[in-house]
Amino acid sequence: MAPQPCSLDPVALTAWRWAPFLEHAVEALQPFEPGAYPIDAEFLRRDGFTGSKAKPTAVTTATWACRTAKLRQVRAACVEAGSSASVLNFVANPSCNFDLPFFGADLVTLPSGHLIALDLQPALKTDQQHTAIVWERLLPIWDHWQQLLPSGGPIPTEAEPYFSPGFLWTRLPLGSEGDALIKNAVFPAFEAYLELYLQLVEQAQPVSEDRRQELLAGQRRYVAYRAEKDPARGMLGRFHGPEWTEAYIHGVLFDL
Ligand code: DBV
């Protein structure tokens, strides 16, 4: 099936916990005049089942995507599987013509609780020119919101090069306590991270051809790492099969 433009409206999934986050992001992108980012029909929406044959749970994975002049691809992977899983994985991939980080959000609800990751992730972590202006503005925002949230615990050392010091990372319990923190800390943190990111996008100026090549190399490393280590691989494989999942991860989610 040929790639086709997907709707620029946020995906509509019944009872999807993370809908307000995607709706906010789509709204916040409007001033950048988003255009269509073509996605194969088989990845725009995929329905399936999980659980036992006797007690199946319906599963849907849906994709939202767009592009703007300075953002090569902005995409959301949206999973709704009732009490089994509810996920919004949202990544903005900048054009390598601009010295910009990635915007990454991983908002995951599993039977064991919520897992929340939010960051402006560097393409070139050890390059001051790339990181300084981002980190000096991000750290106060991180500090404010992370204080209200328990730490998510250690992350793998090999992941270090891809995270900023403003990586907001928490695990929250299901139920009213977690719900309140999502409303009062996670959502406003998501708004603040995205607001800063879109300010950086607005202010970004085109770079030289040499710089472009450096940024592209860094972006390729990041995207290859994310595709190789995608923590959703197991879950998506169970829901939709390994073949579809590999094609989705490499061809849509991390497609640089
Ligand atoms: N993560 C993705 C995509 C997802 C997704 C594309 C389509 O990159 C979901 C969905 N993340 C997802 C799921 C889990 C995690 C875990 C389902 C739970 C896996 C499981 O427990 O079975 C942040 N996400 C994680 C973990 C980290 C991140 C550190 C824990 C990994 C582990 O415990 O092994 N993902 C990581 C990250 C960003 C991100 C930093 C960017 C902000 O998107």
Side-chain angles (χ1 to χ4, degrees), residues 1-2 4 39-47 61 63 243-244 247-248 252:
M1 253 177 292
Q4 58 186 56
I39 303 280
D40 277 8
E42 63 180 312
F43 300 117
L44 277 180
R45 185 186 168 112
R46 173 95 171 177
D47 295 308
T61 298
T63 308
E243 230 174 284
W244 181 91
Y248 186 49
V252 179

Side-chain angles (χ1 to χ4, degrees), residues 75 77 79 87 89 91 104-106 108 110 115 117-119 121 155-156 163 167 169 171 222 226 230-232 235-236 238 248 253-254:
R75 98 298 183 272
V79 179
V87 177
N89 182 266
V91 177
D106 205 14
V108 179
L110 298 172
L115 182 156
L118 200 51
D119 201 5
Q121 300 184 301
I155 56 158
F163 290 94
F167 176 40
W169 171 230
R171 292 173 195 267
Y222 172 91
R226 290 288 307 264
D230 192 341
M235 179 191 78
L236 293 173
R238 283 193 302 281
Y248 186 49
L253 296 181
F254 304 107

Side-chain angles (χ1 to χ4, degrees), residues 11 26 43 57 90 92 101 136 138 159 165 174 234 237 243 254:
V11 301
V26 171
F43 300 117
T57 300
F90 184 90
E136 78 186 18
L138 180 60
L174 298 185
E243 230 174 284
F254 304 107

